[in-house]
Amino acid sequence: VSNGNLLAILNRHYQDLTCLCFTDDSSHFLSGAKDCLALVWNLYSVLQAEPSQIPDPRHVWSRHSLPITDLYCGFGGPLARAATASLDQTAKLWEISSGDLLLSVLFDVGIMAVTLDLSEYHMFCGGMDGSIFQVDLCAWPVQRDRAFQTERENGKVFKGHRNQVTCLSVSTDGSLLLSGSHDETVRLWDIQSKQCLKTMNHKGPITNAFIVLAPANMFNPDGKPSVPLPKFSKHLHGTESTDEQGSEGVTLRLGLHQQDSGESYLEKAEKMYSQMYSTREKNLVGDQEHLTIQVSELEEEVSTLRKINKNLFDFSARIITKPAK
């Protein structure tokens, strides 16, 4: 991203890709496609591979029988669990480290979206018919293959969407669920009561919606991106013309013996992070100054109101206590 170079092209799926996601530590990424396969890739292996070679994925998950529609990766880096959703009416939970299948849940409809809450106690699955199902991952007895019967588990279904659910996102505290659908609405749900708290209408089908933590300078009117990003290259690094400016690749320095004068990828990343954090600190300082000015203005206004109130009280007291003639 820092220089726009194309570093690798991975050709291992047989049909169109439908979803991609990184683990939280960026050590691995997962890809799902219409060929019913979900692949787990080691980022380091992909970057270290020769341009002429296609690197092998760490795991190939081939237990789905119809196209994969969505992926979600939990917390824990390479030890995390990942969820996959498919048109074969199942959602599956996997372990990234071993590649084992931990859980498979069968539904009445094809599943279009899947997510987990932060504590990974619940898995939420969005169906083709607009229903959203809540699966308890810690329910007893523990079974690897489970069927979700809507009639029997009526208290674990969010009902409101009139068309297929395309995306799901859970808030950090695990109390709210955000969902988007082809019925042109985004809905915010209370997970405990399964009630819809808010509906936002759009002018077309929703393709993606998710909850994020607000950045520090979000409400700053002068906030602008401070790190300019170049255009992404269309060709693999090393195959394009050499006279193109800024075409250096990623340098992974594994020791101090290399006397290369160019900056390594890690040094560039560190510089970018320092720029971003310095901007954030400036914004925070600016916010504090703004708050101080606001507080002083409010204090002046309060003192003025107190004077007016006292004058009114004295005036009223004089009229009330004035002896009648």
Side-chain angles (χ1 to χ4, degrees), residues 26-78:
S26 298
S27 64
H28 294 74
F29 61 95
L30 290 77
S31 60
K34 289 182 179 178
D35 59 6
C36 316
L37 298 179
L39 307 182
V40 180
W41 302 88
N42 183 310
L43 181 63
Y44 179 76
S45 302
V46 168
L47 287 177
Q48 290 298 97
E50 293 293 324
S52 58
Q53 294 178 335
I54 299 173
D56 289 324
R58 182 172 173 183
H59 300 301
V60 178
W61 293 333
S62 56
R63 301 289 289 272
H64 285 290
S65 55
L66 283 174
I68 289 172
T69 51
D70 198 16
L71 282 169
Y72 180 83
C73 192
F75 285 88

Side-chain angles (χ1 to χ4, degrees), residues 72-267:
Y72 180 83
C73 192
F75 285 88
L79 302 175
R81 297 186 293 180
T84 56
S86 171
L87 293 178
D88 64 8
Q89 303 187 357
T90 67
K92 299 185 191 293
L93 195 67
W94 310 81
E95 189 175 56
I96 291 178
S97 57
S98 64
D100 291 342
L101 175 64
L102 303 177
L103 175 69
S104 179
V105 186
L106 177 65
F107 297 89
D108 302 331
V109 293
I111 303 300
M112 299 300 298
V114 66
T115 192
L116 302 170
D117 63 354
L118 233 63
S119 59
E120 297 185 15
Y121 268 78
H122 304 291
M123 180 165 65
F124 299 93
C125 307
M128 287 279 286
D129 63 349
S131 301
I132 302 167
F133 310 102
Q134 177 182 314
V135 180
D136 295 336
L137 299 179
C138 300
W140 190 262
V142 178
Q143 297 169 301
R144 200 176 73 168
D145 293 291
R146 202 190 299 177
F148 189 98
Q149 293 171 336
T150 311
E151 303 82 26
R152 221 173 50 196
E153 308 198 50
N154 200 28
K156 294 175 184 173
V157 182
F158 300 79
K159 292 180 179 175
H161 284 298
R162 299 181 305 279
N163 206 330
Q164 68 183 48
V165 177
T166 54
C167 50
L168 294 168
S169 180
V170 182
S171 63
T172 312
D173 63 355
S175 65
L176 300 173
L177 175 70
L178 186 75
S179 63
S181 167
H182 275 192
D183 65 6
E184 305 186 359
T185 65
V186 172
R187 289 176 180 261
L188 194 64
W189 307 83
D190 177 60
I191 291 175
Q192 191 74 31
S193 64
K194 309 290 183 291
Q195 295 296 309
C196 180
L197 304 177
K198 189 171 184 179
T199 303
M200 291 150 274
N201 294 299
H202 289 262
K203 294 181 180 177
I206 308 301
T207 55
N208 209 348
F210 49 89
I211 299 171
V212 293
L213 296 172
N217 62 345
M218 182 175 171
F219 302 106
N220 185 357
D222 303 324
K224 290 180 182 176
S226 62
V227 184
L229 297 176
K231 290 181 181 178
F232 286 173
S233 172
K234 293 180 181 178
H235 305 284
L236 270 174
H237 174 65
T239 59
E240 68 266 25
S241 58
T242 51
D243 43 306
E244 191 176 322
Q245 290 298 314
S247 62
E248 73 278 4
V250 170
T251 308
L252 292 174
R253 285 190 184 167
L254 304 178
L256 298 173
H257 59 277
Q258 297 178 356
Q259 298 300 315
D260 187 6
S261 58
E263 285 184 307
S264 71
Y265 172 69
L266 294 174
E267 286 166 346

